[in-house]
Amino acid sequence: MPSMKIIDLRSDTITLPTDEMRKAMYEAELGDDVLREDPTVKRLEELAAEMMGKETALFTPSGTMSNLIGVLVNTRPGDEIIVGSEAHMLWYEVGGASALGGVVIRTVPNEPDGRLDPDIVAQTIRGDNIHFPPTTLLCLENTHNRCGGAVLTPEYTSTIARIAHERGLRVHLDGARIFNAAVALGVPARKLAEPVDTLGFCLSKGLSAPVGSLFCSTRECVEKARKWRKMLGGGMRQAGVIAAAGIVALEKMVERLAEDHANARRFAEGLSSIPGITVNLERVQTNIVNFEFPSNVADFVPRAAARGVKFNSRGGRWVRAVTNRMVSAGDIDEALGRLEKLVREAG
Ligand SMILES: Cc1ncc(COP(=O)(O)O)c(C=O)c1O
């Protein structure tokens, strides 16, 4: 019996490097990057800065470290930062901003479309008062992971950043999937980065590189970031070996994100025709599909996994699917067929 193909929709982080990336890694010109002597890392950083319209960039091991550095360079211990109630920085970054940055995290409810209401943000920023910690940083996320890959537009980003800047705050963008937003909107990523002071974006998600993230900002800010990265243990020596894959990711893998978006839509539309599955099609903007499985199917996620379709549970009956380069349109149809059968047999 032929083995069943595993269709892995847990995350776009499962993507493996392409053959072109592996070749570039093998051939990469290397040096000691802590001594600023790795030409491949320098090329990646220049390319990233250029694509984000920022003065310069710093290669970090992960999106989590880029976000933590965003807090460290923009605040002082005892400051207060504003983040969305569904932000990755709040949920999944081990509380690093508080533990290592010493900041108070204040949340503003995320709208289902990933935005923070500008009026609520304005009300949340503290005035000068002997009792209050100073509010010094606003953090945004684009695309928004827990809000189902929702896209923030350049117009919204400008509006909310202006409110923060007028009150003396800095703005950091968790742009782990900023290229998904750029491709979905049909705008260059730099348009989405333009209003913010600092941002991090990931190479190791939909772009398929094995490791890494870029922190982008002014030269002055990135100099500080470089020192923080060293303190955090993120100074990497012959890092060009992984940066080489990152260059391929930025040069060759951005446009194809549209395929992941089309597959997410195909999947969501297919799910919506399976009785008992709930999915809000309007919310499917990029490569993430949040859906609710039928109440009569207990243990949906492990049962789907037993049929070779892997998801991440979002708690309760909510499930997250993330399309990625390892999953084709044919795989999406195959997954839908297996899920339809699972639900039918359970009913
Ligand atoms: C929105 C968002 N920000 C940050 C990260 C952190 O990236 P990393 O896993 O590279 O630390 C992720 C990872 O899934 C993410 O989805």
Side-chain angles (χ1 to χ4, degrees), residues 55 95 148 161 163 167 239 253 260 284 288:
E55 280 178 12
I163 290 168
R167 302 280 297 276
M253 306 301 285
D260 295 346
V284 182
I288 301 181

Side-chain angles (χ1 to χ4, degrees), residues 11 13 61-65 67 88 93 141 143 145 174 176-177 202 204-205 212-213 320:
S11 176
T13 57
S62 67
T64 300
M65 191 185 287
N67 284 336
H88 194 276
E93 298 185 11
E141 186 173 319
T143 64
N145 184 338
D174 174 356
R177 295 187 181 80
C202 290
S204 58
K205 300 196 161 64
S213 189
R320 186 187 78 156

Side-chain angles (χ1 to χ4, degrees), residues 23-174:
K23 184 164 182 290
M25 292 169 80
Y26 181 76
E27 292 172 354
E29 208 187 326
L30 304 175
D32 186 332
D33 185 55
V34 174
L35 305 181
R36 305 189 183 210
E37 288 173 5
D38 190 302
T40 309
V41 172
K42 282 188 195 167
R43 268 210 299 139
L44 172 65
E45 290 175 342
E46 279 163 21
L47 180 58
E50 203 262 315
M51 292 174 89
M52 293 300 152
K54 298 295 180 201
E55 280 178 12
T56 189
L58 182 76
F59 190 36
T60 68
S62 67
T64 300
M65 191 185 287
S66 275
N67 284 336
L68 176 57
I69 287 174
V71 172
L72 293 168
V73 298
N74 287 314
T75 65
R76 291 193 302 188
D79 287 0
E80 179 176 77
I81 69 171
I82 297 178
V83 305
S85 56
E86 299 299 325
H88 194 276
M89 289 177 70
L90 180 73
W91 280 78
Y92 305 120
E93 298 185 11
V94 208
S98 298
L100 304 175
V103 297
V104 178
I105 300 180
R106 185 103 174 268
T107 59
V108 161
N110 268 114
E111 304 289 324
D113 63 4
R115 291 178 319 121
L116 305 175
D117 182 313
D119 291 335
I120 301 179
V121 170
Q123 287 157 23
T124 305
I125 298 171
R126 297 190 192 250
D128 189 22
N129 182 303
I130 185 75
H131 302 92
F132 295 164
T135 315
T136 55
L137 180 67
L138 171 68
C139 299
L140 305 172
E141 186 173 319
N142 196 11
T143 64
H144 202 292
N145 184 338
R146 283 182 60 87
C147 293
V151 166
L152 302 181
T153 62
E155 296 73 26
Y156 168 77
T157 311
S158 294
T159 303
I160 197 83
R162 190 175 343 105
I163 290 168
H165 287 147
E166 279 170 5
R167 302 280 297 276
L169 276 71
R170 306 261 298 167
V171 181
H172 174 75
L173 173 65
D174 174 356

Side-chain angles (χ1 to χ4, degrees), residues 36 45 48-50 52-58 69 73-74 165 170-172 193-200 215-227:
R36 305 189 183 210
E45 290 175 342
E50 203 262 315
M52 293 300 152
K54 298 295 180 201
E55 280 178 12
T56 189
L58 182 76
I69 287 174
V73 298
N74 287 314
H165 287 147
R170 306 261 298 167
V171 181
H172 174 75
E194 204 266 333
V196 307
D197 301 295
T198 59
L199 80 139
F215 175 84
C216 310
S217 186
T218 58
R219 273 183 230 298
E220 189 190 348
C221 198
V222 170
E223 271 316 294
K224 288 186 199 155
R226 190 177 285 276
K227 189 98 178 176

Side-chain angles (χ1 to χ4, degrees), residues 3-8 297 299-311 331 334-347:
S3 65
M4 176 174 59
K5 176 165 187 194
I6 304 295
I7 302 165
D8 194 343
V297 188
D299 300 327
F300 178 86
V301 171
R303 285 168 76 178
R307 291 173 191 233
V309 188
K310 292 189 178 180
F311 300 111
D331 294 335
E334 173 66 26
L336 286 166
R338 291 183 202 170
L339 297 179
E340 196 273 328
K341 195 155 176 274
L342 189 166
V343 171
R344 189 165 19 93
E345 287 173 2

